[in-house]
Amino acid sequence: MPEIETSQNQDELFSPPSHVRGMTKLDRTAFKKTVTIPVLKVRKEIVNKLMRSLKRVALQRPGIKRVIEDPGDEASRLIMLDPSKMFTDDSFEELGILKQLNVSPQISKYNLELTYENFKSEEVLRAVLPEGQDVTSGFSRVGHIAHLNLRDHQLPFKHLIGQVMIDKNPGITSAVNKINNIDNTYRNFQMELLSGEENMTTKVRENNYTYEFDFSKVYWNPRLSTEHSRITELLKPGDVLFDVFAGVGPFAIPVAKKNCTVFANDLNPESHKWLLHNCKLNKVDQKVKVFNLDGKDFLQGPVREELMQQLGPLSKERTHSVHIVMNLPAKAIEFLGAFKSLLDGQPCGSERLPIIHCYSFSKNANPAKDVQQQAEAVLDTSLDACSSVHLVRNVAPNKEMLCITFRIPAAILYKNQTLNLEKHEEPPLKRQRTDKSFSKEKSNCLDHVTENVLSPD
């Protein structure tokens, strides 16, 4: 017999039965219980009109119909009410509409049977996991895949957690758990299938573009959607983008759609394959040149060759900007050294120098200053006059992902330059308000942080 629960404490009333605590293999039948809730009896012909006025007090539970037939009266219906807002006749604030429709405000009790389908995912997991432990109900959605990052105390329940995520989230058919850190070479990580189908080839929509890839073999982070848009908006039609660590194309493809010229590279053969596929899928394959090289080789090969043409003496009339995106936060700053003495010949005008967008992590109390100092150490020059830092996202407690943007100094980019770096002036990037996502505690150390960097008009 399902247990009868008459407590008015909401945490108890709509919690699964206590005997599911410690369950490691999901048994949906064990979640049955019966609770007593208030109901209002009304004539069936006025139900629709009345329900619009009873939204505040009507019961809202997954899979529960708020209006049911009255077993004892075919001409009437029972409206289920939320016991936390309505347990006595005096609880009605809607007496006016009840009187207008000639409905008695008298409420009755009704025994409602709850099943697994009527509990939310966090309610199921809170009831199953050890009392007082953190409950996982959030995940990153990548197409049909729920990507979790479980903590140690949750691992004994991992398969149950995965199945609950699938059950409670329409469209999710696979649940996986990250079991190691991102591999710095190919930017993917090992994952374990918790529940559902093994198919890791998925399709996602981001900012009106479609991407297909094997999630187990490439890097994809749905939390970077806003950052992809931010960089895309900085470029204008005719600009040039070099994407050093392009992945499956979330920077390259939107930028190419703006009628920009794009050179996109990734060392991972799987990323390279899906990048080509996604360029065709989004109909920009004629605008994107795709490479499968190490980042340094890409910079010192195709990028160098193209920059020599883009910035050479025969291109002085060109007004477009050149942007270089380096989204490999764990190591990208190390690759800045490839820009030192990269080009031969006479330096171009400072306003035509490439703009670098380089990503990095920081655990420093002053993350913006830390990232700038890291970049300066590699380039062996000050970036005070020509850089800004943007907070991308908080990755973990005391760990930030940031993007430093700067126009690379000619004295760094060109060989045999004797310019005095102390006197060399770069056009300052326009300062704007600091990013709202920085807390007030950090604001004192982030005065030079900007939310945006404009093209050099």
Side-chain angles (χ1 to χ4, degrees):
M1 283 285 294
E3 66 184 82
I4 304 287
E5 179 61 77
T6 58
S7 169
Q8 294 185 46
N9 183 308
Q10 288 301 286
D11 289 340
E12 295 178 17
L13 188 65
F14 290 113
S15 293
S18 57
H19 59 252
V20 302
R21 179 80 65 195
M23 178 187 291
T24 55
K25 184 176 181 180
L26 184 61
D27 177 6
R28 297 176 182 85
T29 63
F31 286 80
K32 287 183 179 178
K33 68 181 290 187
T34 301
V35 297
T36 301
I37 65 167
V39 294
L40 177 68
K41 181 176 179 177
V42 302
R43 302 188 312 278
K44 65 180 182 180
E45 61 267 20
I46 66 169
V47 167
N48 290 339
K49 188 172 184 179
L50 185 58
M51 283 301 293
R52 289 194 289 269
S53 300
L54 294 182
K55 287 182 180 179
R56 182 187 69 85
V57 293
L59 181 66
Q60 297 187 35
R61 295 293 305 173
I64 295 291
K65 292 182 178 180
R66 291 182 288 179
V67 180
I68 60 172
E69 294 182 357
D70 184 348
D73 185 355
E74 290 185 1
S76 298
R77 295 291 183 266
L78 298 178
I79 298 177
M80 296 194 186
L81 304 175
D82 187 336
S84 68
K85 300 172 183 175
M86 181 70 53
F87 217 88
T88 68
D89 301 350
D90 300 330
S91 303
F92 274 113
E93 295 178 5
E94 294 80 5
L95 287 174
I97 187 67
L98 295 181
K99 185 175 181 181
Q100 181 183 334
L101 295 174
N102 197 26
V103 176
S104 169
Q106 184 174 357
I107 62 174
S108 307
K109 292 183 178 181
Y110 177 82
N111 288 338
L112 173 66
E113 183 180 276
L114 298 175
T115 66
Y116 172 78
E117 286 70 27
N118 306 134
F119 295 107
K120 302 172 185 176
S121 58
E122 55 266 34
E123 293 170 338
V124 171
L125 298 181
R126 192 177 296 115
V128 169
L129 268 63
E131 204 164 358
Q133 297 278 20
D134 291 338
V135 172
T136 294
S137 59
F139 56 87
S140 294
R141 181 167 188 157
V142 183
H144 67 277
I145 303 165
H147 170 217
L148 296 92
N149 193 2
L150 298 180
R151 299 183 180 181
D152 289 344
H153 73 270
Q154 298 164 336
L155 294 178
F157 308 91
K158 61 186 180 182
H159 297 299
L160 180 146
I161 293 173
Q163 187 58 55
V164 171
M165 294 298 104
I166 291 173
D167 289 346
K168 301 297 182 180
N169 295 278
I172 295 294
T173 57
S174 300
V176 300
N177 180 43
K178 174 181 172 181
I179 58 176
N180 73 342
N181 290 327
I182 290 177
D183 177 86
N184 284 333
T185 303
Y186 285 164
R187 287 202 300 174
N188 55 359
F189 50 82
Q190 290 184 327
M191 61 178 70
E192 175 186 20
L193 181 68
L194 302 179
S195 189
E197 60 183 61
E198 296 183 3
N199 176 28
M200 293 293 107
T201 301
T202 190
K203 177 188 290 188
V204 300
R205 289 280 291 174
E206 180 185 275
N207 301 326
N208 298 318
Y209 301 100
T210 301
Y211 303 90
E212 294 179 346
F213 48 84
D214 184 337
F215 185 53
S216 66
K217 296 179 180 179
V218 305
Y219 176 81
W220 180 267
N221 190 338
R223 295 187 175 94
L224 294 179
S225 171
T226 301
E227 183 62 12
H228 297 151
S229 291
R230 185 183 74 90
I231 294 297
T232 300
E233 289 170 3
L234 296 179
L235 281 87
K236 297 178 180 179
D239 286 352
V240 177
L241 173 70
F242 297 98
D243 192 349
V244 185
F245 311 106
V248 298
F251 285 116
I253 288 169
V255 169
K257 276 288 189 181
K258 296 184 72 172
N259 288 319
C260 296
T261 301
V262 178
F263 298 79
N265 173 72
D266 204 281
L267 176 62
N268 183 351
E270 282 290 320
S271 295
H272 176 259
K273 179 182 79 174
W274 289 107
L275 175 57
L276 286 168
H277 172 81
N278 289 324
C279 286
K280 291 181 180 178
L281 185 64
N282 290 277
K283 300 179 180 178
V284 294
D285 48 305
Q286 300 302 311
K287 299 176 183 177
V288 182
K289 296 181 181 180
V290 178
F291 300 84
N292 180 207
L293 299 169
D294 175 79
K296 184 177 180 181
D297 293 337
F298 177 61
L299 289 168
Q300 295 183 337
V303 174
R304 179 186 180 279
E305 292 173 12
E306 188 64 23
L307 286 180
M308 289 294 291
Q309 294 184 33
Q310 294 285 340
L311 307 180
L314 299 179
S315 62
K316 288 183 178 180
E317 302 304 317
R318 294 183 183 177
T319 59
H320 62 254
S321 296
V322 176
H323 294 255
I324 302 175
V325 171
M326 305 173 69
N327 183 21
L328 184 66
K331 298 185 73 174
I333 280 183
E334 299 174 18
F335 286 80
L336 291 176
F339 289 104
K340 297 173 77 170
S341 299
L342 182 65
L343 304 184
D344 300 308
Q346 195 66 24
C348 67
S350 58
E351 74 283 352
R352 297 174 58 228
L353 291 165
I355 299 171
I356 312 293
H357 309 277
C358 185
Y359 292 82
S360 183
F361 295 127
S362 177
K363 295 182 178 179
N364 194 284
N366 187 338
K369 183 177 180 181
D370 176 48
V371 168
Q372 181 180 325
Q373 288 177 340
Q374 289 181 49
E376 290 174 337
V378 173
L379 293 171
D380 195 25
T381 190
S382 171
L383 297 175
D384 275 339
C386 60
S387 70
S388 67
V389 179
H390 172 80
L391 175 66
V392 177
R393 58 184 287 259
N394 178 258
V395 177
N398 302 315
K399 183 178 181 180
E400 314 286 1
M401 177 179 175
L402 305 101
C403 175
I404 181 168
T405 293
F406 59 94
R407 199 182 306 281
I408 190 158
I412 298 297
L413 187 61
Y414 286 87
K415 293 179 182 177
N416 304 320
Q417 294 305 300
T418 57
L419 296 173
N420 185 332
L421 294 184
E422 297 289 329
K423 298 179 181 179
H424 185 65
E425 294 184 0
E426 302 292 342
L429 296 168
K430 297 178 183 179
R431 296 297 193 265
Q432 296 187 7
R433 60 184 174 81
T434 54
D435 195 309
K436 288 183 179 179
S437 53
F438 278 108
S439 64
K440 291 182 180 178
E441 289 78 7
K442 294 179 181 178
S443 63
N444 290 335
C445 63
L446 297 172
D447 291 339
H448 68 296
V449 177
T450 65
E451 184 183 17
N452 214 329
V453 176
L454 302 180
S455 56
D457 290 348

